[in-house]
Amino acid sequence: MTAPARMSAAQARRVAIAAGFLDGSVPGERGRTGTRTLERAVERLGLLQLDSVNVFERSHYLPLLSRLGPYDRTALDRLLHHDHPRRPRLSGYTEYVAHEAAVIAVDDWPLWAWKRRQPMRASDERWAAEHASLIDGVLAEFAERGPMRPSDMEHPAHERLPGGWWNKSDAYWATAVLFRRGALVTAGRRRFERQYAVADRVLPAAAQVELEREDAQRILVARAAEAHGVATLDDLADYHRLPVKDAKAAVDDLVDDGTLEPVDVEGWGRPAWLWAGARRPRRVRATALLSPFDPLVWHRPRAERLFGFAYRISIYTPAAERRHGYYVLPVLVDDELVGRVDLKSDRRAGVLRVQHATIEPHQAHRADELAARLAPVLEEAAGWQGLERVEVAGPGTWAREVAGALPRV
């Protein structure tokens, strides 16, 4: 057996950044993007992870900002049929639990048939069995009335309950079961609430074909390899949250057919694979704010392995225990994660607030230089949000330098 090719840690970082086209490799002028460019970017990522936190901006908008610059968010909304003025309908995109909750292409619906067939958690299966007639009744209402939000249901079990988002009606939970099983599909969103439709009424015939588990997972692992460029087994499994043993079987097949090449990456201490089509740039030029749910960093062990960057978003951390703020975005400069900023869009005041700014300790000697790289990106993000200026409003080991790099008001 031939020994795996050797790859330096720096080269692995550059391969990963280029594979995620964070190096500016998407065709077109930065900030001037049409529908096809958005489609191409989503296609390359494979999915956009969704999250409801809106303190800076919702997560699914941010990976495209990092790669395309300040694009028109309403163009993405139209593409995904979000807050669409017309009757809800299935566009070229829907949603599924494809990492966590995520936007996927309708054409990719067959890739998840195996997951829709497998049992949910035992407690969810028990609930579904106990409420089988309710679930059937909710599905019948969607079949009769057409696409709508769960909040628009008229089912008797859909009573309005006090207590916030976690206190949902039984009819609401029935829609969650039907979505997980694939009986309902997402046909856009309104005010960030899913609008569901009966799957076999709206899915095109090609999307209703079911792939075998092994075939689908081989495709998903190949896509993860393309998106990562170079990756370990757990990186490849995590991209679509596949069981590791299933991902390993797919990796073996992809090595046999030449899609993946085994490599030994300096410092990783575990087997890795290089996608056959990966670019290997000698250097990359990039400056970007990364969503906490960006594919480059969403698998925290990979972020630490690639960049030595121990990362936590902190939105689920008690305030007293937060070290770097609340909605913490990693800062990419060239081929390194050099720091992190906690951002808040204060829309009433027209200000993008940097509530915390921290530089990685080994980058402290470059704090001024790196702040000068970050400042234009912060200004660009503020303009994209319709805000007038950026203010450093909080503490951190990088706050003084970032404030100094911003234009004086």
Side-chain angles (χ1 to χ4, degrees):
M1 179 180 293
T2 305
R6 300 294 300 273
M7 179 177 285
S8 71
Q11 187 177 39
R13 291 196 302 271
R14 294 192 297 269
V15 167
I17 291 164
F21 57 93
L22 280 156
D23 60 344
S25 57
V26 178
E29 183 181 344
R30 183 172 176 82
R32 295 176 61 86
T33 55
T35 299
R36 183 64 193 111
T37 299
L38 292 174
E39 290 175 334
R40 188 182 298 114
V42 176
E43 179 182 354
R44 181 62 179 272
L45 292 171
L47 52 86
L48 294 174
Q49 188 172 337
L50 294 154
D51 188 81
S52 62
V53 176
N54 195 27
V55 63
F56 168 48
E57 182 54 274
R58 288 197 171 101
S59 64
H60 66 288
Y61 293 106
L62 296 178
L64 302 182
L65 173 67
S66 302
R67 290 156 175 82
L68 306 176
Y71 67 96
D72 180 2
R73 282 167 298 169
T74 61
L76 183 62
D77 289 341
R78 287 194 298 271
L79 199 63
L80 304 183
H81 218 73
H82 286 189
D83 290 318
H84 201 277
R86 297 179 182 174
R87 182 176 176 81
R89 65 174 178 80
L90 195 67
S91 66
Y93 296 90
T94 186
E95 298 176 18
Y96 199 61
V97 191
H99 177 77
E100 294 294 338
V103 170
I104 64 170
V106 167
D107 290 346
D108 289 345
W109 189 251
L111 296 175
W112 298 99
W114 61 274
K115 191 166 188 174
R116 296 191 290 272
R117 289 193 297 260
Q118 69 183 21
M120 300 176 290
R121 292 178 302 182
S123 59
D124 293 337
E125 288 292 340
R126 284 195 300 272
W127 188 92
E130 292 166 2
H131 295 81
S133 60
L134 165 64
I135 292 169
D136 289 344
V138 167
L139 182 60
E141 181 175 352
F142 277 92
E144 178 182 350
R145 296 182 59 200
M148 62 182 170
R149 300 175 299 173
S151 61
D152 297 324
M153 285 189 294
E154 297 174 352
H155 195 285
H158 185 51
E159 57 183 308
R160 298 294 193 270
L161 301 176
W165 65 267
W166 63 89
N167 201 7
K168 303 292 189 182
S169 70
D170 283 345
Y172 172 89
W173 293 118
T175 65
V177 171
L178 291 163
F179 171 68
R180 177 64 173 73
R181 291 174 173 174
L184 293 179
V185 295
T186 305
R189 285 183 176 240
R190 183 179 172 196
R191 295 183 179 177
F192 207 64
E193 183 182 2
R194 283 186 180 126
Q195 299 181 110
Y196 289 118
V198 176
D200 59 15
R201 299 275 183 92
V202 297
L203 286 172
Q208 297 189 46
V209 174
E210 296 194 354
L211 292 181
E212 292 300 318
R213 180 187 184 107
E214 294 79 8
D215 295 335
Q217 291 181 344
R218 190 180 305 112
I219 293 169
L220 292 171
V221 170
R223 289 187 180 181
E226 181 179 5
H228 276 327
V230 60
T232 65
L233 177 60
D234 66 307
D235 296 337
L236 296 172
D238 178 79
Y239 203 91
H240 296 103
R241 296 287 166 89
L242 305 181
V244 172
K245 63 181 179 61
D246 292 356
K248 181 61 170 68
V251 166
D252 290 343
D253 287 347
L254 294 168
V255 169
D256 288 344
D257 71 15
T259 301
L260 296 181
E261 173 191 347
V263 290
D264 179 8
V265 180
E266 174 192 9
W268 283 18
R270 62 184 65 191
W273 290 268
L274 178 72
W275 178 56
R279 290 186 292 124
R280 305 189 197 192
R282 294 187 176 183
R283 66 187 299 269
V284 292
R285 180 77 173 176
T287 310
L289 298 165
L290 300 180
S291 162
F293 307 103
D294 191 286
L296 191 68
V297 296
W298 66 23
H299 187 42
R300 309 310 190 211
R302 176 173 171 82
E304 190 151 6
R305 188 185 314 118
L306 262 177
F307 300 103
F309 191 82
Y311 178 43
R312 193 172 180 180
I313 182 177
S314 298
I315 59 177
Y316 308 115
T317 305
E321 299 175 20
R322 293 176 194 147
R323 295 181 55 210
H324 304 115
Y326 178 71
Y327 198 73
V328 182
L329 286 78
V331 178
L332 176 72
V333 176
D334 297 337
D335 65 350
E336 297 180 284
L337 294 180
V338 301
R340 57 198 90 196
V341 290
D342 174 22
L343 298 184
K344 178 179 180 179
S345 293
D346 186 339
R347 295 170 178 89
R348 180 172 296 180
V351 176
L352 177 61
R353 301 196 185 279
V354 182
Q355 304 195 113
H356 205 288
T358 305
I359 194 165
E360 291 296 279
H362 67 282
Q363 299 285 355
H365 66 290
R366 302 176 61 203
D368 287 317
E369 169 201 345
L370 295 171
R373 293 282 298 273
L374 173 62
V377 175
L378 290 172
E379 291 181 85
E380 187 177 74
W384 178 67
Q385 286 278 287
L387 306 173
E388 296 173 1
R389 64 187 187 279
V390 182
E391 290 184 2
V392 178
T397 58
W398 203 12
R400 179 179 61 83
E401 292 83 1
V402 173
L406 292 166
R408 295 187 182 277
V409 179

